[in-house]
């Protein structure tokens, strides 16, 4: 049976490339986005690469996450790979940060991945197989200086901490692996046109973690194939 990967924020940028590369590596992909029209446009560019499903999913809405899980269950679809890619990047200075933007960043970049893990991780543990990839950033690394806008840095540092705690709760001796990854500085709407990496290059390290063999690393933070500091 071919593995199924669910990718949040799969309608543009790195997300589309993650979907494409997973399709080309033999996965069925569930491309999710908040905007149904955006999801369908992205799907139109990817359908030739392999079996693709689309779903409307707002990672900040617990009801939307639960509905996504139940729709897939009703269709007999088990999620083997969860890629928490959806994120936002407010640029406000810390002391001028509007509270609603701060809270929206944390809901999207941290609470959203937690909700998705709560929805899909228990079944992975029951099957003793799963891969969770939290798309983080060097901006969330204390070891690399937490560079960048404050809300984004704080949210990605928290996502890294969530990765560590998930791996700790899963424990050793299972084939359920959870890792964080920095895709690098990528030329997307978020990264800007001057970024040196293409979306395809940014997606490559994410897909590597999504397709780790049994016994692969867990509870770690990577850029490309190299571990980086928390």
């Amino acid at each position: 049976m071919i593995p199924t990967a669910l990718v949040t924020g799969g309608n543009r940028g790195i997300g589309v490339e993650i979907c494409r590369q997973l399709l080309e590596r033999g996965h069925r992909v569930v491309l999710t986005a908040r905007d149904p029209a955006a999801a369908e446009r992205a799907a139109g560019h990817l359908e030739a690469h392999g079996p693709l499903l689309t779903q409307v999913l707002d990672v900040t809405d617990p009801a939307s996450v639960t509905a996504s899980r139940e729709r897939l269950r009703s269709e007999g679809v088990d999620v083997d790979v969860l890629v928490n890619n959806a994120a936002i990047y407010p640029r406000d200075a810390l002391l001028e940060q509007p509270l609603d933007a701060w809270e929206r960043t944390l809901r999207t970049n941290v609470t959203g991945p937690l909700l998705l893990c709560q929805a899909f991780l228990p079944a992975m543990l029951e099957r003793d197989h799963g891969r969770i990839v939290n798309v983080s950033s060097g901006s969330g690394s204390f070891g690399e200086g937490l560079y960048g806008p404050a809300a984004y840095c704080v949210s990605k540092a928290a996502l890294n901490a969530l990765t560590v705690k998930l791996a700790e709760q899963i424990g050793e001796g299972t084939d359920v692996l959870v890792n964080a990854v920095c895709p690098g500085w990528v030329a997307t709407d978020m990264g800007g046109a001057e970024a040196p990496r293409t979306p395809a290059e940014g997606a490559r390290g994410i897909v590597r973690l999504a397709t780790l063999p049994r016994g692969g690393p867990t509870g770690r933070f990577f850029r490309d194939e190299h571990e980086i500091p928390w």
Side-chain angles (χ1 to χ4, degrees):
M1 183 177 294
I2 66 173
T4 297
L6 186 149
V7 180
T8 67
N11 58 297
R12 63 179 183 172
I14 296 174
V16 170
E17 270 300 316
I18 296 166
C19 293
R20 183 183 67 79
Q21 291 181 27
L22 285 170
L23 287 168
E24 290 181 346
R25 294 190 65 159
H27 285 60
R28 172 172 53 183
V29 169
V30 183
L31 183 159
T32 75
R34 287 180 299 173
D35 180 354
E40 290 303 321
R41 282 195 300 271
H45 298 290
L46 294 172
E47 288 174 340
H49 294 276
L52 182 70
L53 305 172
T54 61
Q55 281 204 351
V56 176
L57 173 63
D58 180 351
V59 302
T60 70
D61 181 358
S64 179
V65 172
T66 298
S68 173
R69 181 191 63 196
E70 295 308 310
R71 283 194 301 270
L72 291 172
R73 279 182 177 174
S74 70
E75 297 169 9
V77 176
D78 293 322
V79 172
D80 304 290
V81 176
L82 170 62
V83 180
N84 285 312
N85 170 69
I88 59 174
Y89 186 81
R91 292 172 168 83
D92 307 274
L94 182 58
L95 297 184
E96 289 78 43
Q97 179 82 62
L99 181 59
D100 62 340
W102 175 269
E103 292 178 339
R104 186 167 62 252
T105 304
L106 294 176
R107 285 199 307 273
T108 304
N109 298 2
V110 188
T111 305
L114 173 61
L115 292 173
L116 269 295
C117 289
Q118 289 176 334
F120 293 106
L121 178 55
M124 293 181 184
L125 292 171
E126 288 179 9
R127 297 192 303 273
D128 189 32
H129 178 73
R131 302 290 181 267
I132 296 174
V133 184
N134 291 326
V135 181
S136 185
S137 170
S139 295
S141 167
F142 282 83
E144 294 192 349
L146 295 172
Y147 60 87
Y152 184 75
C153 292
V154 169
S155 71
K156 291 303 186 180
L159 180 62
N160 289 347
L162 176 63
T163 303
V164 172
K165 297 306 290 184
L166 284 168
E168 178 184 290
Q169 182 163 338
I170 292 167
E172 299 179 356
T174 77
D175 190 35
V176 179
L177 310 176
V178 53
N179 291 286
V181 59
C182 170
W185 186 16
V186 179
T188 62
D189 290 346
M190 182 184 294
E194 69 276 15
R197 289 191 170 197
T198 65
E201 291 168 332
R204 202 167 293 142
I206 298 165
V207 171
R208 184 184 77 85
L209 293 175
T211 57
L212 284 171
R214 189 180 188 97
T218 191
R220 313 258 287 277
F221 188 17
F222 292 90
R223 183 184 295 114
D224 301 322
E225 298 183 15
H226 306 290
E227 190 170 1
I228 62 175
W230 295 111

